[in-house]
Amino acid sequence: MASTLGWLDHDANAQAKTLNILALFQQKESRDELGIGAIRDSFAEQLFPGTSTIQTRLRYMLFVPWIYQRLENKRISAANLGSQADRDERALIIPLSRLEEDSAGTFGKNSREKLKRLPSSVYWSGLRHWKIHKTSWSQEEYHQRVDELYRARAEISEREYQEKNQGDMGDTSANKPAPSWHSSLPEPPPNFPDEATFALTRQEASFLRDRIQCSCKGSLLAWLTLHSEPANVSTPWEHPDYAKFPDDLKELLTHARLFSYAMHGAALLYNYLLAKERADNELLSQHHDSFVAWFTSLPRKDISTWSLERMWELTARPAYSISLKTRRFVEQWIALIRQSSGTLLTSKEACALIRAREIALKGPRSRFKNRRALEQWSGYAGTLRLVYRWNNVQIVLNDLAQGLRREEC
């Protein structure tokens, strides 16, 4: 039975402790050694749109717009916008790192001036998906084209001025300034960014919940933010409110759960074969035990009746191109699971399938072909089962719930 971790008290101390515990157990899901990332991401984006495994705290969804909005108000040119934003984002590191009980999730907390990836690049897709950022531009395009926004706004202001002087306001809807950020974006605190914290005000939390409700309709993220309290469990299908989920979400989660169970075994066998290739008996024993434990706990009855055709229907979305080779690999692996009465570790067909898949994906960089690549292998590559961004989503939900319960000053 899967282990779970839960809390009842949602004060700041409990939140900070929980986040620190989560950080100890969290492993990024971005490793895709066997080429199943498009399927994983299709599930994740349908369940939790706008999120990612490298997002940390929810208030960054406001920090980034506040920084850029202030630069726009100063009419910082396209030539300087990127560098100015870079400076302002790095300025957030110091006040957030100073937080004694709630600094978990601070970008650059350890790397400081060496921080390579700024929050804006991590949150940009989410800001667009939640329609907090109103253009369809990438971040780089926005930096390059911000002068166009300034010109459009200046032209609209001039037109309004002339129409007002002429006494002919006409249809003012045509004069709305070109937006870059949502019109209801809350104002930053007066002490921002010098005394920034991760604590959302109730107004900010309400705004973010509204954005999720409007832009992520039908997703599990939208349902949870409206109908459920945070519950820290290992996977979304273990949520205590699962029985209340809409039927279409329960169906999607059923397929996501079975895909997670099935492909976890492929990853474990891959690591077992690498340990064998490197003749590392200690690792070999560990991966052997992990694989046997996985095989023993398989929901075999559910997998035997699982409709892969329906899974492909649910995951084959325009943004996620799942190749025929990937489908074939997944189908072959699941067929082997259904047919096997042993552990699959002794199955020549199963071992050959995993080897061939990795070699096909990596070519000369394959760990089965490249000795240096094998030596650089850490001993564990993608060995945790897929949970579709759930670790990060739990932090989002907890931050949001904290804000909604907070008394306004």
Side-chain angles (χ1 to χ4, degrees):
M1 184 175 179
S3 60
T4 62
L5 175 66
W7 70 87
L8 296 175
D9 189 358
H10 294 278
D11 62 23
N13 290 334
Q15 179 197 31
K17 290 176 183 177
T18 302
L19 288 167
N20 287 330
I21 292 170
L22 279 173
L24 293 175
F25 288 96
Q26 185 173 341
Q27 176 175 319
K28 301 299 184 188
E29 293 181 74
S30 56
R31 299 291 302 240
D32 183 23
E33 305 289 353
L34 297 176
I36 58 171
I39 308 168
R40 173 202 64 204
D41 293 345
S42 180
F43 277 126
E45 193 61 24
Q46 290 180 72
L47 292 166
F48 309 115
T51 64
S52 79
T53 59
I54 52 176
Q55 291 176 4
T56 56
R57 302 299 293 274
L58 184 54
R59 212 178 189 204
Y60 275 114
M61 284 287 194
L62 299 175
F63 290 159
V64 173
W66 287 340
I67 287 171
Y68 277 113
Q69 198 172 56
R70 186 169 61 177
L71 295 176
E72 283 187 25
N73 291 339
K74 294 179 180 179
R75 292 181 63 87
I76 301 298
S77 68
N80 298 315
L81 185 68
S83 59
Q84 292 275 20
D86 182 293
R87 179 205 64 195
D88 290 353
E89 287 188 68
R90 292 180 189 278
L92 276 172
I93 297 173
I94 295 175
L96 293 175
S97 297
R98 285 198 196 113
L99 301 173
E100 292 183 3
E101 297 178 341
D102 194 23
S103 63
T106 299
F107 276 75
K109 182 179 179 179
N110 298 318
S111 56
R112 297 296 173 114
E113 68 277 0
K114 296 180 181 179
L115 177 65
K116 293 182 178 180
R117 188 161 190 184
L118 295 170
S120 58
S121 67
V122 171
Y123 283 81
W124 197 261
S125 176
L127 288 166
R128 287 174 55 190
H129 198 116
W130 292 3
K131 296 183 171 54
I132 296 172
H133 184 71
K134 300 291 287 183
T135 78
S136 59
W137 301 338
S138 68
Q139 187 180 14
E140 185 177 358
E141 285 178 300
Y142 169 64
H143 289 172
Q144 294 171 347
R145 300 177 63 177
V146 71
D147 290 340
E148 296 178 26
L149 292 175
Y150 300 153
R151 285 194 295 271
R153 291 168 186 167
E155 290 171 1
I156 289 169
S157 296
E158 177 64 23
R159 192 182 310 128
E160 286 181 341
Y161 176 77
Q162 292 177 359
E163 290 174 349
K164 185 176 181 180
N165 286 344
Q166 295 169 3
D168 179 22
M169 292 303 291
D171 182 9
T172 58
S173 63
N175 291 337
K176 288 182 179 179
S180 52
W181 302 101
H182 196 279
S183 60
S184 297
L185 181 71
E187 290 292 320
N191 57 3
F192 179 79
D194 297 333
E195 298 178 21
T197 74
F198 287 121
L200 293 166
T201 67
R202 187 186 297 177
Q203 180 196 12
E204 293 164 4
S206 295
F207 167 75
L208 290 170
R209 183 175 63 179
D210 289 346
R211 288 292 78 229
I212 292 171
Q213 292 303 312
C214 291
S215 61
C216 307
K217 291 178 180 178
S219 70
L220 184 56
L221 179 65
W223 192 93
L224 290 172
T225 57
L226 199 61
H227 300 290
S228 183
E229 286 294 313
N232 188 20
V233 291
S234 300
T235 67
W237 45 88
E238 294 171 329
H239 197 284
D241 289 332
Y242 178 86
K244 301 177 185 176
F245 292 175
D247 289 343
D248 58 336
L249 289 176
K250 284 196 281 190
E251 182 191 20
L252 186 64
L253 275 176
T254 295
H255 288 277
R257 175 178 68 89
L258 294 176
F259 184 75
S260 173
Y261 268 114
M263 302 318 296
H264 184 205
L268 293 176
L269 180 54
Y270 171 62
N271 282 268
Y272 172 83
L273 292 174
L274 290 180
K276 193 174 184 179
E277 193 81 15
R278 205 161 74 179
D280 187 324
N281 291 332
E282 183 178 350
L283 272 177
L284 190 66
S285 176
Q286 291 174 14
H287 290 307
H288 172 277
D289 293 347
S290 296
F291 190 89
V292 171
W294 163 80
F295 192 83
T296 303
S297 65
L298 270 177
R300 302 185 66 85
K301 183 177 180 181
D302 292 342
I303 289 177
S304 67
T305 59
W306 180 20
S307 171
L308 295 183
E309 183 178 349
R310 179 57 179 158
M311 184 186 74
W312 298 133
E313 290 175 2
L314 291 170
T315 54
R317 304 283 168 155
Y320 299 98
S321 176
I322 302 170
S323 69
L324 290 176
K325 289 182 178 179
T326 297
R327 291 192 185 199
R328 182 61 178 156
F329 166 68
V330 170
E331 289 168 354
Q332 286 178 315
W333 173 249
I334 292 168
L336 288 169
I337 293 175
R338 288 170 169 169
Q339 295 164 10
S340 178
S341 58
T343 66
L344 284 175
L345 284 175
T346 55
S347 167
K348 293 182 179 180
E349 190 175 1
C351 295
L353 176 67
I354 299 300
R355 287 178 61 93
R357 177 64 176 173
E358 196 255 18
I359 291 170
L361 290 171
K362 297 185 178 182
R365 295 180 295 105
S366 164
R367 293 184 177 115
F368 294 114
K369 295 286 188 180
N370 188 316
R371 192 69 195 178
R372 179 169 175 76
L374 180 64
E375 290 169 356
Q376 291 176 336
W377 168 59
S378 67
Y380 298 86
T383 54
L384 292 187
R385 58 177 172 164
L386 303 175
V387 294
Y388 311 103
R389 310 175 188 167
W390 178 243
N391 291 326
N392 305 71
V393 169
Q394 288 183 99
I395 296 172
V396 166
L397 294 172
N398 191 51
D399 280 353
L400 186 67
Q402 290 271 356
L404 292 170
R405 283 192 295 268
R406 190 163 281 116
E407 293 294 332
E408 292 290 8
C409 298

